[in-house]
Amino acid sequence: MDLLSALSLGELALSFSRVPLFPVFDLSYFIVSILYLKYEPGAVELSRRHPMASWLCAMLHCFGSYILADLLLGEPLIDCFGNNSSILLASAVWYLVFFCPLDLFYKCVCFLPVKLIFVAMKEVVRVRKIAVGIHHAHHHYHHGWFVMIATGWVKGSGVALMSNFEQLLRGVWKPETNEILHMSFPTKASLYGAVLFTLQQTRWLPLSKASLIFVFTLFMVSCKVFLTATHSHSSPFDVLEGYVCPVLFGMAWGGDHHHDNHGPHSVTAFWRAHRIPAAAPARNLSIYIISSLKLHLDCERISSHVETRSFDQHFLSTCAPLYAGCCEATSWPEQLTAPCGQEGCSLC
Amino acid sequence: MDLLSALSLGELALSFSRVPLFPVFDLSYFIVSILYLKYEPGAVELSRRHPMASWLCAMLHCFGSYILADLLLGEPLIDCFGNNSSILLASAVWYLVFFCPLDLFYKCVCFLPVKLIFVAMKEVVRVRKIAVGIHHAHHHYHHGWFVMIATGWVKGSGVALMSNFEQLLRGVWKPETNEILHMSFPTKASLYGAVLFTLQQTRWLPLSKASLIFVFTLFMVSCKVFLTATHSHSSPFDVLEGYVCPVLFGMAWGGDHHHDNHGPHSVTAFWRAHRIPAAAPARNLSIYIISSLKLHLDCERISSHVETRSFDQHFLSTCAPLYAGCCEATSWPEQLTAPCGQEGCSLC
Amino acid sequence: MDLLSALSLGELALSFSRVPLFPVFDLSYFIVSILYLKYEPGAVELSRRHPMASWLCAMLHCFGSYILADLLLGEPLIDCFGNNSSILLASAVWYLVFFCPLDLFYKCVCFLPVKLIFVAMKEVVRVRKIAVGIHHAHHHYHHGWFVMIATGWVKGSGVALMSNFEQLLRGVWKPETNEILHMSFPTKASLYGAVLFTLQQTRWLPLSKASLIFVFTLFMVSCKVFLTATHSHSSPFDVLEGYVCPVLFGMAWGGDHHHDNHGPHSVTAFWRAHRIPAAAPARNLSIYIISSLKLHLDCERISSHVETRSFDQHFLSTCAPLYAGCCEATSWPEQLTAPCGQEGCSLC
């Protein structure tokens, strides 16, 4: 009986949500965070020549989420530095990662199976931080949906959202990019997680907080471990965003770096090449509604026609119906109006 | 009787100062602010490729003044995000401006007569924000003149004062300029307005706050509508600054961009050409006092002499008396010592 | 008796720590701070063309330490602007330094003996600020060692730690360097001073606060006056860091700018030339322990041998023992294994 009740999902989630994070999970968080710092170009030389700057960067990597959340909520930025044991633990990890004799610590920690365990434990901390951040924001702003989401987001994303300034500390300045423009998987996942936890906190999601922590942790751990193991930079949200963003915003959210590599046949390149006015994607929402009626009839016909010219599949599902529906328009792209040369083509 | 009393200026100002800003005036503020964001080069493409960054920029344009004031006064930066209805309204405006089908909303709003109405309503909000900001600062710092002015200024200027960081969010970095170096009309007007409201708050200006709000709103609305209608970037303060700044600081405040176009005869070019030490303009204050006594006698004589060599009128009124008074000095500029060739010249 | 008791060190320190800083010492602080602003390239032209930006920079130079400390401790950034008399005093100094007739004020203040007095008085203020900052942080975080050190540090370093943003205000942007990467003497001294005052505050240093203020002020004044008088940029900590940092971090802290000038024979160049892996310096700690036993025997022999090839003395004391102890290793540097050609050389 006892065993069974302990195995029930609710009990498991509850006891999981009560596991203390310090010191084991926090240690993993610090190790993985400082590992990512060491991967940055120039970080090793920086640690030799400017240990103080390197240590400060390491602290930002470990406690960036607290600093940003404190800034947003008007609390002392230095609050997290009041916790001596955490700072000392993070400092010890920093010293071992950068200055351990024979680089032994780094080599052990970078060994893939070991690293995957640490990465998994880091995600446990991340999810817990999001939940705590939203609880904290809810305490100050009872109906502040946006405040809760923002606080949860920065608690989950950590140093990534302030990477420009962390780089500046190291003497590096890359203004042309930032984490908001090119969101990585953890940043996006933290945002979606913050939305979910906010829904839970305001009772719109019929789930206990412990269960949500458990489920979201499982999702984050499996995703991050898979991505780390395969050295992949893709994201499981790409598919969902590929459907939603073109409808809402006329183009896939943050998906540009994938599409840009597709050569002249990608959606972006297509739009550029044909000088479709910038407002065009904005029409997608209305097009979507209108075309959903026609889609059933037209879609297959166009597909077979255009596929032979290797257009982006993406473009087909969202924009082609528009062109199918306005055959007489003068803005009809050349590539589509030119006869394809196939016999029996219903469009030529 | 009732009609008359309602028409009296005091009553009118009082009732005007009690008109609620939400939602109509706030809506105009958001529309004009996000319009200016859309005018920025690259903003439309950003909204297509990175909607999240575009939305954040739009929020900074709408709520930048609150964020900056909260930062200065040590309150939560995210405070304004606690007001869900404002955020939702601003987000709706952002979506309509950037993604409305057929770009209809943008075209309507950009139609000059409509835009002028919105611009006028935005100025109403700006003046009210300055007044509220100073009232708020006065609550915390009873005798903090500089605190009140600074708070009123950032409340009135909004995102302009943090434009470098707003640009950074969009991946743009222009460190060589900022709003402090090149103040636009609203920024300057906010500063002067903040000084006036601070004087009113500390009882140095014998006016009720409602009257000051009314008068300053009238001034701001008429100026901004005129400037917007004529696509002008000049400022009604240029004349005043042209008199005060050379006396106080040796050169017109922010007026450099005008003077630089005047060719080799402008004050700046003259100073540079003759290698007058940088400290020279600093002497203007003392010169002003001394020369005001001599001016009566010398001015006409010098005027007629130097005018023939097409010197800047500006230089004449402030610096020529100096040279007139130290004829024997070795630093006498060549152009003035060389005989002018005119018959009967009293100086040659 | 009275004279004697007044002369006793404890009494002297106590009465010294009670001398009010306003207005004389504060005035010196403002004068020296704004002098350093005027030394910056382009600062004079800025004051002519953009007096507002110049004034704001001057205020950052005078009150930067308060602003940074307020930011860290979550207090209003604008707090120091609530003190009208300080702001007015600093503004008057700014006006006199930049716009005084005949540049008289600047010339007086820059006269070396006068400047040295002001520099000495500025250090008195700096030490007092560190002490006050740590007392203030201790009030909020009783056991927050890192919070106390950080607060004391920013209170002592002032605008230096935010120099990148102070430059940005002037339209200058130098991301490749900052005060953390290249610490000046006052910044380092403030850090060490903050550590000492933190130890005193937490009763680890058996000294009264008044005595520590007195002793540390004496040290700072003598160092800073000496460095200013000799126009030197070196630091009295270089010797200490030269011993400690190679042991802890594999290279002298911030000492790169000295070593880089030493040509191809410096430690850095040597390491680079021989492609010793980046982890190597990390072994110094273990090497230090092992080699300290052998050092007695080997040191002289190696010294005489290597000195003829003009190696850096630094390298000798820390790294040569390693090579002496692993003669058979294949990573033996060429220059050391090649015969030196001297007769009777015990190593060839």
Side-chain angles (χ1 to χ4, degrees), chain B residues 179-223:
Chain B
E179 187 70 18
I180 308 274
L181 290 181
H182 299 284
M183 286 200 200
S184 61
F185 166 69
T187 310
K188 269 187 191 171
S190 297
L191 180 56
Y192 296 137
V195 172
L196 285 180
F197 277 98
T198 301
L199 290 173
Q200 192 280 327
Q201 187 79 44
T202 52
R203 309 282 167 92
W204 283 78
L205 205 71
L207 257 175
S208 75
K209 186 175 281 180
S211 310
L212 186 57
I213 289 179
F214 187 72
V215 172
F216 197 65
T217 304
L218 273 187
F219 168 75
M220 287 297 290
V221 166
S222 49
C223 284

Side-chain angles (χ1 to χ4, degrees), chain A residues 127 130 189 192-193 196-197 211-220:
Chain A
V127 176
I130 296 174
Y192 296 136
L196 285 180
F197 277 98
S211 309
L212 186 57
I213 289 178
F214 187 71
V215 172
F216 196 66
T217 304
L218 273 187
F219 168 75
M220 288 296 290

Side-chain angles (χ1 to χ4, degrees), chain A residues 40-262:
Chain A
E40 295 280 325
V44 172
E45 209 196 345
L46 182 89
S47 69
R48 300 286 169 274
R49 294 162 65 105
H50 311 289
M52 185 71 195
S54 177
W55 179 80
L56 268 180
C57 282
M59 292 304 107
L60 284 186
H61 272 258
C62 292
F63 302 102
S65 57
Y66 294 102
I67 293 171
L68 266 181
D70 285 337
L71 183 68
L72 288 186
L73 293 170
E75 281 158 22
L77 291 199
I78 214 169
D79 213 42
C80 57
F81 284 77
N83 188 346
N84 293 332
S85 46
S86 283
I87 300 285
L88 287 175
L89 187 63
S91 302
V93 169
W94 164 74
Y95 193 84
L96 286 173
V97 167
F98 280 99
F99 304 102
C100 178
L102 300 172
D103 223 7
L104 211 67
F105 188 81
Y106 177 73
K107 281 172 189 162
C108 289
V109 159
C110 265
F111 180 53
L112 196 61
V114 179
K115 192 179 161 188
L116 289 182
I117 294 170
F118 286 134
V119 164
M121 288 164 86
K122 186 185 175 181
E123 295 310 308
V124 173
V125 179
R126 191 196 300 278
V127 176
R128 205 76 82 76
K129 272 164 128 181
I130 296 174
V132 170
I134 283 167
H135 185 84
H136 187 58
H138 181 252
H139 182 74
H140 290 290
Y141 298 87
H142 265 280
H143 300 289
W145 288 64
F146 292 100
V147 176
M148 284 186 249
I149 293 173
T151 311
W153 188 32
V154 300
K155 279 302 262 297
S157 311
V159 80
L161 289 180
M162 55 196 279
S163 55
N164 285 79
F165 296 97
E166 185 266 340
Q167 287 166 354
L168 182 59
L169 203 62
R170 294 188 270 125
V172 177
W173 186 244
K174 293 174 188 159
E176 67 284 356
T177 186
N178 62 53
E179 189 69 16
I180 308 273
L181 290 181
H182 298 284
M183 287 200 199
S184 60
F185 166 69
T187 309
K188 269 188 193 172
S190 297
L191 180 56
Y192 296 136
V195 172
L196 285 180
F197 277 98
T198 301
L199 289 174
Q200 193 280 327
Q201 187 80 42
T202 52
R203 308 282 168 93
W204 284 77
L205 205 71
L207 257 176
S208 75
K209 185 175 280 180
S211 309
L212 186 57
I213 289 178
F214 187 71
V215 172
F216 196 66
T217 304
L218 273 187
F219 168 75
M220 288 296 290
V221 166
S222 50
C223 283
K224 201 72 211 300
V225 165
F226 177 78
L227 292 176
T228 308
T230 57
H231 298 286
S232 164
H233 285 284
S234 68
S235 143
F237 304 123
D238 281 353
V239 179
L240 188 73
E241 285 163 7
Y243 279 98
V244 173
C245 290
V247 172
L248 281 176
F249 307 117
M251 212 166 290
W253 179 0
D256 52 304
H257 47 95
H258 300 301
H259 289 291
D260 283 356
N261 305 329
H262 284 185

Side-chain angles (χ1 to χ4, degrees), chain B residues 89-100:
Chain B
L89 187 62
S91 302
V93 170
W94 165 75
Y95 193 84
L96 286 173
V97 167
F98 280 99
F99 303 103
C100 179

Side-chain angles (χ1 to χ4, degrees), chain C residues 156-316:
Chain C
S157 310
V159 78
L161 289 180
M162 56 196 277
S163 55
N164 285 79
F165 296 98
E166 186 265 340
Q167 287 166 354
L168 182 59
L169 203 61
R170 294 188 270 124
V172 177
W173 186 243
K174 294 175 187 159
E176 67 284 356
T177 185
N178 62 53
E179 189 69 17
I180 308 273
L181 290 180
H182 298 284
M183 287 199 200
S184 60
F185 166 69
T187 309
K188 270 187 192 171
S190 297
L191 179 56
Y192 296 137
V195 172
L196 286 180
F197 278 98
T198 301
L199 290 173
Q200 193 280 329
Q201 187 79 43
T202 51
R203 309 282 168 91
W204 284 77
L205 205 72
L207 257 174
S208 76
K209 184 174 281 180
S211 309
L212 186 56
I213 287 178
F214 187 72
V215 172
F216 196 66
T217 303
L218 273 187
F219 167 75
M220 288 297 290
V221 165
S222 49
C223 283
K224 201 71 211 304
V225 165
F226 177 78
L227 292 176
T228 306
T230 57
H231 298 286
S232 165
H233 285 283
S234 68
S235 145
F237 305 122
D238 280 353
V239 179
L240 187 74
E241 284 162 8
Y243 279 98
V244 172
C245 290
V247 172
L248 280 177
F249 306 117
M251 214 166 289
W253 179 1
D256 51 306
H257 48 95
H258 301 302
H259 289 291
D260 282 355
N261 305 330
H262 284 185
H265 298 301
S266 75
V267 175
T268 316
F270 177 86
W271 265 326
R272 277 200 205 119
H274 291 282
R275 290 190 195 74
I276 295 177
R283 279 178 280 173
N284 281 343
L285 194 60
S286 48
I287 293 158
Y288 188 78
I289 298 161
I290 299 164
S291 62
S292 60
L293 300 168
K294 303 186 57 185
L295 207 63
H296 222 66
L297 300 164
D298 294 345
C299 211
E300 241 173 82
R301 196 166 54 113
I302 300 165
S303 282
S304 64
H305 177 76
V306 183
E307 234 162 25
T308 56
R309 291 154 195 225
S310 69
F311 276 106
D312 194 307
Q313 193 63 33
H314 216 77
F315 162 75
L316 279 177

